[in-house]
Amino acid sequence: MEIAVNGTVAATGSGSIYSVVPGVYELATSAEYVELAGAPIIATTGFAYAYTREHEPTLTDEGLAQFRSRARTSAEECLSSTALDAGCELAVTPGLQGGNSLIDGTIERTISEESWAEIDALEPTASSSAPLVMEDAFFSAEVVFTGDWSGASGAGRDQIYGGPYLASPSVDFADPDLPVTWGY
């Protein structure tokens, strides 16, 4: 992530040290939708510290709206998949007890209205491993799975128990496409 000091991009890296003149220094990032939280740095001498824990990347209001919108769209696409593997950490295995098997293309996935409301109100924070990946590691929604099955004992359509949860959306703000990933 590029860091700008008073509007000028600064070389960053582990152990970067710069001489400063006394003054006020505003830190910013060039990443769209992301800003650096924290108060400006006030240097009273030629020496001042910029602690990363005091200047965490956060989303702008527009970035927060993008995060929530992308997460909702991704969840809608994921939950609308009828495949055994929806491609968003919501795969179900085809084998059932008694030798029966789920039929690919018949799986229905739903979450509660309360879970949809939670998606619309997500509060992401920067990932500890990638500052431009914003995530809500606390979000988790129970998914109700229903699907057609067939086998030696016949055929039918039933609820499938023990499926995965829709959890922990993250959006990569370093990528202009803002891809969403689900899962822990």
Side-chain angles (χ1 to χ4, degrees):
M1 169 172 62
E2 286 185 341
I3 303 294
V5 178
N6 289 350
T8 302
V9 174
T12 59
S14 178
S16 297
I17 298 174
Y18 305 94
S19 296
V20 296
V21 295
V24 178
Y25 294 89
E26 296 275 348
L27 298 182
T29 175
S30 60
E32 187 175 14
Y33 307 120
V34 179
E35 60 191 3
L36 295 177
I41 299 168
I42 299 173
T44 55
T45 66
F47 186 76
Y49 284 104
Y51 295 105
T52 55
R53 71 180 178 280
E54 294 174 356
H55 299 282
E56 290 287 327
T58 60
L59 291 174
T60 62
D61 289 343
E62 191 176 278
L64 180 58
Q66 282 287 336
F67 182 93
R68 290 172 177 168
S69 172
R70 298 290 177 147
R72 182 169 184 101
T73 300
S74 174
E76 288 169 347
E77 290 171 0
C78 174
L79 293 168
S80 69
S81 173
T82 59
L84 290 171
D85 186 352
C88 54
E89 303 299 323
L90 291 182
V92 291
T93 57
L96 299 172
Q97 290 180 353
N100 298 318
S101 295
L102 289 170
I103 300 171
D104 195 21
T106 69
I107 308 303
E108 181 182 343
R109 296 167 175 85
T110 58
I111 60 175
S112 69
E113 288 301 317
E114 292 83 15
S115 293
W116 283 116
E118 288 179 34
I119 288 173
D120 292 336
L122 291 169
E123 291 294 335
T125 58
S127 166
S128 60
S129 61
L132 292 179
V133 173
M134 299 293 169
E135 62 188 2
D136 189 326
F138 299 106
F139 174 78
S140 181
E142 182 177 7
V143 179
V144 176
F145 295 86
T146 307
D148 292 348
W149 58 271
S150 67
S153 60
R157 182 166 184 84
D158 289 301
Q159 185 173 341
I160 306 158
Y161 295 95
Y165 279 64
L166 183 66
S168 303
S170 65
V171 177
D172 185 354
F173 282 86
D175 185 327
D177 293 333
L178 302 178
V180 178
T181 304
W182 293 91
Y184 298 107

